[in-house]
Amino acid sequence: SVFFRSIRELRPLWPVWLPLLLIAMLSPLLAVALPVVEKRLIDDVVLPRRSDLLFDVAALYAAIWTLSAFATVVASALRSYLGERM
């Protein structure tokens, strides 16, 4: 079939396809995680005035946000490279 023939012909590009596929699977999880951490920040830290939890929740939020931004940049670079190679 055409699909399997394409996979065979594009075998040299698998080192680019695989990370792009992993980023595509990770991105929705990160997109869901940010609002959950924001809710935790508001409900568990800000409203009850628990400043002792502020650093932990803010660090978690920053880590998820940074990972999301990094994944976006890497995916963009990989898509550009893949587009040039095809």
Side-chain angles (χ1 to χ4, degrees):
S1 89
V2 174
F3 177 71
F4 292 115
R5 191 180 82 215
S6 296
I7 289 176
R8 275 193 313 273
E9 290 175 1
L10 297 174
R11 179 167 276 172
L13 296 177
W14 271 103
V16 178
W17 276 105
L18 203 54
L20 198 53
L21 182 64
L22 293 174
I23 291 172
M25 293 185 327
L26 178 68
S27 293
L29 297 175
L30 295 173
V32 169
L34 274 177
V36 171
V37 174
E38 287 175 357
K39 182 182 181 322
R40 182 170 179 222
L41 178 65
I42 293 169
D43 293 347
D44 297 344
V45 177
V46 175
L47 292 179
R49 298 177 191 219
R50 296 272 320 264
S51 60
D52 58 316
L53 297 176
L54 181 61
F55 179 77
D56 294 337
V57 176
L60 178 62
Y61 185 85
I64 293 171
W65 186 88
T66 302
L67 186 58
S68 178
F70 181 73
T72 301
V73 169
V74 170
S76 177
L78 289 174
R79 277 193 303 268
S80 296
Y81 177 76
L82 197 57
E84 291 292 324
R85 299 288 299 186
M86 293 180 82

